[in-house]
Amino acid sequence: MKKRILLLLLLASIFGNVFLLFIPVNASSGASEQGVLTQQNRKSYNDSVVIRSLRINAIEQFKNEGVIIRHELSTSSGKALDIGKIVSQKGQLLVFQFDRNACSACIENEMSNLNDLGNVNPYAILIVATSFDNDIQAKLYLDRFKIPFRFIAVNKENFPFTTVPHLIPCYFMLDQTLRTSRFFIPDKNNNDLTNRYLKLTTEPRQE
């Protein structure tokens, strides 16, 4: 009888140790699978952001491709400005346009992107600010970002884009005929697209 009891206790002890041995393994396996799922979800979300950005830009570029800007722009201080003289003689100028009432984080993100461009010809890029009361106010605003590029402050009516919300910052190329191309809406949540766009539009062209 005692031997039987001892045998049962021994078996119970062995079974308990085996059970305890497998619990951490199963828990670890579950945590590992959850980590894989989290990575997959994150990748899926990132992919959806990229796809959404590309779709929006494809639509907006199509609508705004070939828009012609007037030669004479009205500045925020009420002066007339011939933008044709600002466009590079080589033929193209990259313009970043933003409204002072746009998302502050979006503007700051693009100012950082522009500052990160490095050794780019300062005359190859123009920053256009809209909805400022005067040129001085715009200059004080932009001085915060230490931007090395030229800027003008104009009324937003100078740019007849079809984008419904004028408050969305955008980039576009401007050629000698003041015709727009490569219209691009940056997304602060998808900086890789913006960096690729800026690299594409600021690299020296092959003649």
Side-chain angles (χ1 to χ4, degrees):
M1 185 68 180
K2 288 182 179 179
K3 290 183 179 180
R4 185 177 297 176
I5 293 173
L6 287 174
L7 182 60
L8 289 174
L9 289 174
L10 181 62
L11 290 173
S13 175
I14 293 172
F15 177 78
N17 287 334
V18 170
F19 180 74
L20 291 173
L21 181 66
F22 277 97
I23 287 178
V25 172
N26 293 337
S28 174
S29 176
S32 176
E33 289 177 2
Q34 187 174 2
V36 171
L37 286 174
T38 301
Q39 290 179 353
Q40 289 177 343
N41 291 339
R42 189 179 297 114
K43 182 180 184 303
S44 177
Y45 172 76
N46 290 339
D47 289 346
S48 70
V49 170
V50 171
I51 291 170
R52 186 170 67 251
S53 297
L54 290 171
R55 184 182 298 119
I56 291 172
N57 277 304
I59 293 171
E60 295 302 328
Q61 180 171 349
F62 176 78
K63 290 193 298 184
N64 294 295
E65 186 82 13
V67 172
I68 298 178
I69 306 300
R70 295 196 305 265
H71 270 266
E72 192 173 87
L73 305 181
S74 57
T75 70
S76 297
S77 296
K79 301 175 182 176
L81 176 70
D82 187 350
I83 195 172
K85 292 181 179 179
I86 298 177
V87 177
S88 139
Q89 292 184 353
K90 285 283 185 179
Q92 286 199 322
L93 178 73
L94 174 61
V95 179
F96 172 62
Q97 179 195 346
F98 74 94
D99 190 281
R100 70 170 299 185
N101 299 311
C103 155
S104 297
C106 301
I107 297 172
E108 290 178 10
N109 190 70
E110 296 318 310
M111 293 302 173
S112 176
N113 286 333
L114 290 169
N115 271 327
D116 289 343
L117 282 176
N119 298 322
V120 174
N121 183 347
Y123 292 99
I125 296 176
L126 176 69
I127 297 173
V128 175
T130 61
S131 298
F132 284 88
D133 293 335
N134 53 63
D135 300 340
I136 295 175
Q137 190 181 73
K139 186 178 188 309
L140 290 173
Y141 181 88
L142 286 167
D143 279 348
R144 293 170 43 211
F145 303 105
K146 310 297 181 188
I147 296 295
F149 306 112
R150 299 170 301 170
F151 81 92
I152 57 175
V154 302
N155 300 320
K156 58 186 173 186
E157 290 76 17
N158 286 284
F159 296 95
F161 295 138
T162 58
T163 305
V164 177
H166 279 285
L167 301 185
I168 299 178
C170 64
Y171 291 94
F172 55 91
M173 300 295 294
L174 207 56
D175 64 18
Q176 284 181 314
T177 65
L178 302 186
R179 185 184 300 271
T180 64
S181 62
R182 296 185 180 179
F183 192 91
F184 179 80
I185 296 176
D187 181 351
K188 64 182 177 64
N189 297 314
N190 188 15
N191 230 26
D192 284 345
L193 276 182
T194 303
N195 290 333
R196 291 176 195 172
Y197 173 85
L198 291 175
K199 183 177 181 181
L200 175 69
T201 53
T202 58
E203 282 185 340
R205 290 182 299 164
Q206 297 295 330
E207 298 295 341

